[in-house]
Amino acid sequence: MKPLQILVLHGPNLNLLGIREPGHYGVATLAEINQQLSELADALNLGISNYQSNHEGGLVDRIHHAVTEKIDGIVINPAAYTHTSIALRDALLASNIPFVEVHLSNVHKREAFRHKSMLADAAVGVVAGFGATSYTMALRGLNEHLLNR
Ligand code: DQA
């Protein structure tokens, strides 16, 4: 069977992981998180690619491209766009690609404006609060979901 293809999307300011508010986001860099995901993808026989952007339109364009690439599933940390972006929601719905929403921090333990997600009700699932492990949990969960469809 051809390996399932997964796209990992990282939203704004996540390029600063490692130095950005370590009390909330931990000390792992984005490169380290992507490396952990690649190793897990190998173990699960998944193809994986990743993309980070500080721009809403860049993320929307990448989701559109995922359709032509025949990506099977998306792991996305939309960062601050989680709480604001109808454009990202619409792009994900238009793509029809199953996705898991990820957060390093437990957004429900933080400011009220972080409690709302524009994407969560359209996601397969949401993982929040486990630091870098949130991403690997999301990849495992998405893999199970895709295999059991
Ligand atoms: C975040 C939580 C968001 O509220 C915040 O804007 C981020 C990161 C997280 O991973 O915990 O940039 O998505």
Side-chain angles (χ1 to χ4, degrees), residues 12 14 20 25 77-80 82-83 102-105 107 110 114:
L14 295 175
R20 175 191 182 204
Y25 303 122
N77 184 346
T82 308
H83 318 298
V102 173
H103 301 286
L104 295 141
S105 64
V107 284
R110 301 181 61 194
R114 294 185 205 275

Side-chain angles (χ1 to χ4, degrees), residues 32-108:
E32 287 165 347
I33 289 172
N34 285 331
Q35 179 59 32
Q36 283 175 23
L37 287 168
S38 283
E39 286 168 17
L40 178 59
D42 284 350
L44 296 174
N45 188 35
L46 295 168
I48 197 160
S49 52
N50 64 74
Y51 177 75
Q52 188 274 332
S53 181
N54 294 320
H55 305 276
E56 194 173 24
L59 293 162
V60 168
D61 285 345
R62 191 66 191 81
I63 292 165
H64 293 179
H65 186 47
V67 177
T68 47
E69 282 178 308
K70 301 213 183 315
I71 292 289
D72 297 293
I74 293 176
V75 171
I76 181 169
N77 184 346
Y81 291 141
T82 308
H83 318 298
T84 61
S85 182
I86 298 170
L88 271 186
R89 176 189 177 86
D90 285 352
L92 286 162
L93 288 175
S95 77
N96 220 13
I97 300 173
F99 69 95
V100 176
E101 178 182 320
V102 173
H103 301 286
L104 295 141
S105 64
N106 179 355
V107 284
H108 298 286

Side-chain angles (χ1 to χ4, degrees), residues 7-27:
L7 172 65
V8 183
L9 292 175
H10 307 282
N13 301 305
L14 295 175
N15 53 312
L16 299 179
L17 287 179
I19 51 169
R20 175 191 182 204
E21 299 186 83
H24 283 307
Y25 303 122
V27 293

